[in-house]
Amino acid sequence: MGTQADSNANDRIAGLLKNKEKVVFCVGCKSIGQYGGFETFVKGLVERDSNGKNQYFVSCKARGEGCMEVDKLSGAEMISDREFLYCNAICYLVPVNTGIGSAQAIQYDLDSLKFVIGYIEKYKIQSPVVYIMACRIGPFFRKYVKRIHALGGRVIINPDGHEWKRSKWAPPIRAYWKISEKKMVKNADLVACDSLNIENYIRKQYESFHPNTTYVAYGVDEKYSEMADDDPVYRDWIQKNDLSGKEYYLIVGRFVPENNFETIIREFMKSKTEKSLVIITTPNSKFYTKLDKEYAFTSDPRICFAGTVYNQKLLKKIREKAYGYLHGHEVGGTNPSLLESLCSTKLNLLYKVGFNEEVARDAALYWTKEEGNLSALIEKTDAMSGEEIRLLGEKAIQRIDEAYRWNYIIERLNAIWNGLEHSGGRE
């Protein structure tokens, strides 16, 4: 028997669904904005798509690595023991079995879809859109697509980047991800790629399926931090980490091998720079211990692991006060952290891969994994004039204005939700 709290939550949800033109279910992110590309994208989406026509449902991971910590999301309101509201989203916490290793990602997506189907049936939602991020459930996908179709729904996938290339996976798991990608591309109603490089790959790799594809990137707002230089929150963070503004390089992203932390740390230690390297990242003690054993970076006083920063105003300020931003992502598509850095940090040093070059073009400098390449670039950028850095910053803002403003991205997404998508986009 349901509790009064459940009944109240049901009433709240039913009220929110009234007079909505489209209901969109977002599946595959672990949280709202707590690190990771999809998480950042979904947070931006539900905060900004507030015209009253759409209602979003977002699945969130209830426990385990990267789970949703509702108490750290300012403005979130719990309405039942598993549901909370945030901006234009009804969010539901999905329990996972944390003892099954990498398989928990598969279980999480499948259980999220079960919740989706339950909500569609319970609230009699007409023509729902189910937007699935990443391709983890290919062998089971067709069954769920058929079920959603029977309920009048449409299934869109974002294939992310090349999950099967991620070095953290053992060869059998990589093989599974590749098969899974193939089956999901084959059975999806639409493949919405956040990178033109990824869209081209999907079309060529799965040409025999004639996949229906479109391109829509992530969005970012070009605005300055609301924090003053003497704001106590920022000053406390600076003092706690023994830093000075404009005297550090910055990395923001998940602490995983495919983001090239190993190359960045190795090359930074090799360089003669007197600036610091600030790393804002998620915990990963196993990877941390491995890298420290190999490079002893904890003995280098220039390297600062600053933990996580959930305060978005503070994070914006930290980005703005960085001398330069180091971006090592290599297997994803368009990365929100890169868009944020182009908005906030004038000097951006990016790993040379198609995804990153597609986004930044000539507004950034590029490095490779070749021994000595990044360390030489760091020393070169240390010697750049203020005018050279200013011009790069102007190019970065121009690039954002061309293709990555949230208002344009929201417009594109609304077309996709309503079946009006087209291939390609602003390049």
Side-chain angles (χ1 to χ4, degrees):
M1 182 177 292
T3 65
Q4 184 60 47
D6 289 335
S7 177
N8 292 341
N10 293 340
D11 291 343
R12 290 284 296 277
I13 292 171
L16 290 168
L17 289 171
K18 282 184 178 179
N19 303 316
K20 298 296 182 181
E21 291 182 12
K22 191 62 64 177
V23 178
V24 181
F25 292 87
C26 298
V27 171
C29 61
K30 295 178 183 178
S31 68
I32 303 282
Q34 291 176 206
Y35 292 98
F38 286 137
E39 289 75 15
T40 304
F41 161 72
V42 169
K43 185 173 189 288
L45 173 63
V46 302
E47 287 176 347
R48 291 164 180 82
D49 191 3
S50 55
N51 61 12
K53 295 180 180 180
N54 299 330
Q55 178 62 58
Y56 292 93
F57 280 78
V58 180
S59 66
C60 295
K61 192 176 176 185
R63 55 177 176 262
E65 181 184 351
C67 69
M68 181 71 234
E69 297 178 82
V70 181
D71 59 337
K72 292 184 178 179
L73 182 62
S74 178
E77 176 194 357
M78 293 297 302
I79 59 171
S80 75
D81 59 354
R82 72 162 186 269
E83 294 159 319
F84 66 95
L85 304 180
Y86 179 71
C87 292
N88 193 24
I90 299 162
C91 310
Y92 50 101
L93 297 168
V94 180
V96 294
N97 181 351
T98 58
I100 57 176
S102 57
Q104 69 179 273
I106 300 167
Q107 182 222 332
Y108 172 58
D109 284 0
L110 292 175
D111 286 353
S112 295
L113 283 177
K114 292 173 185 175
F115 273 88
V116 166
I117 290 167
Y119 280 116
I120 294 171
E121 293 177 333
K122 182 175 183 178
Y123 296 102
K124 298 180 173 58
I125 297 170
Q126 301 298 306
S127 304
V129 173
V130 181
Y131 178 67
I132 303 174
M133 293 162 276
C135 293
R136 295 182 283 247
I137 54 172
F140 318 95
F141 187 53
R142 188 166 179 267
K143 177 180 75 172
Y144 287 93
V145 171
K146 290 175 71 175
R147 185 89 179 272
I148 292 165
H149 282 173
L151 294 168
R154 185 163 171 256
V155 181
I156 301 170
I157 66 168
N158 180 332
D160 196 13
H162 299 311
E163 184 70 28
W164 44 273
K165 284 187 176 181
R166 295 186 188 273
S167 57
K168 66 178 180 178
W169 302 123
I173 297 176
R174 289 191 207 177
Y176 169 83
W177 293 137
K178 193 71 174 71
I179 293 168
S180 185
E181 176 185 87
K182 177 180 178 180
K183 290 180 178 294
M184 290 188 72
V185 169
K186 182 178 181 180
N187 290 289
D189 295 312
L190 176 69
V191 183
C193 306
D194 59 59
S195 159
L196 289 167
N197 275 262
I198 289 294
E199 185 181 22
N200 290 335
Y201 157 77
I202 292 292
R203 285 178 170 180
K204 291 176 182 177
Q205 182 74 20
Y206 303 111
E207 185 178 9
S208 62
F209 301 154
H210 306 289
N212 183 22
T213 71
T214 193
Y215 161 72
V216 56
Y218 297 147
V220 67
D221 285 331
E222 179 210 322
K223 61 181 181 181
Y224 293 105
S225 171
E226 298 173 12
M227 277 191 178
D229 288 359
D230 60 354
D231 188 289
V233 174
Y234 171 66
R235 297 309 311 167
D236 287 350
W237 185 87
I238 284 286
Q239 291 168 9
K240 173 187 173 183
N241 292 289
D242 194 23
L243 298 168
S244 299
K246 296 299 181 182
E247 289 298 320
Y248 59 87
Y249 288 88
L250 176 67
I251 309 174
V252 179
R254 289 185 300 152
F255 194 50
V256 290
E258 61 269 16
N259 288 348
N260 281 304
F261 282 93
E262 182 170 0
T263 299
I264 295 172
I265 290 171
R266 181 195 73 215
E267 292 293 310
F268 190 89
M269 293 180 70
K270 186 181 293 185
S271 77
K272 295 182 176 65
T273 184
E274 294 181 2
K275 294 179 171 59
S276 300
L277 174 63
V278 176
I279 302 171
I280 295 177
T281 190
T282 50
N284 186 337
S285 58
K286 185 177 179 180
F287 188 43
Y288 182 97
T289 302
K290 174 184 178 294
L291 291 189
D292 192 38
K293 184 177 181 180
E294 189 163 353
Y295 300 107
F297 62 79
T298 51
S299 65
D300 189 328
R302 298 174 298 174
I303 296 178
C304 169
F305 270 79
T308 54
V309 176
Y310 292 122
N311 183 327
Q312 293 302 306
K313 292 180 182 179
L314 173 60
L315 185 57
K316 182 78 171 176
K317 190 68 178 179
I318 293 167
R319 288 182 181 277
E320 288 178 355
K321 299 297 283 187
Y323 180 78
Y325 186 81
L326 286 160
H327 187 76
H329 295 53
E330 72 169 297
V331 301
T334 300
N335 185 267
S337 183
L338 173 54
L339 299 181
E340 289 286 353
S341 72
L342 291 173
C343 272
S344 305
T345 312
K346 293 181 174 65
L347 180 59
N348 290 278
L349 283 61
L350 316 182
Y351 176 61
K352 188 176 176 60
V353 67
F355 311 120
N356 297 334
E357 291 180 296
E358 173 190 316
V359 173
R361 295 188 178 175
D362 65 348
L365 305 176
Y366 297 91
W367 50 272
T368 70
K369 294 182 186 180
E370 182 183 355
E371 191 86 22
N373 181 272
L374 177 55
S375 59
L377 182 59
I378 289 170
E379 291 173 8
K380 176 183 175 181
T381 54
D382 271 2
M384 288 177 70
S385 68
E387 179 64 9
E388 289 175 305
I389 295 172
R390 184 188 68 80
L391 289 173
L392 276 173
E394 284 187 358
K395 286 183 178 181
I397 294 299
Q398 288 170 6
R399 182 62 185 136
I400 292 298
D401 286 343
E402 286 173 3
Y404 299 105
R405 289 279 205 162
W406 261 118
N407 57 355
Y408 167 68
I409 301 302
I410 292 293
E411 181 183 305
R412 287 278 297 117
L413 287 167
N414 273 289
I416 288 171
W417 306 150
N418 288 284
L420 304 173
E421 67 276 347
H422 58 83
S423 183
R426 294 183 186 179
E427 299 184 27

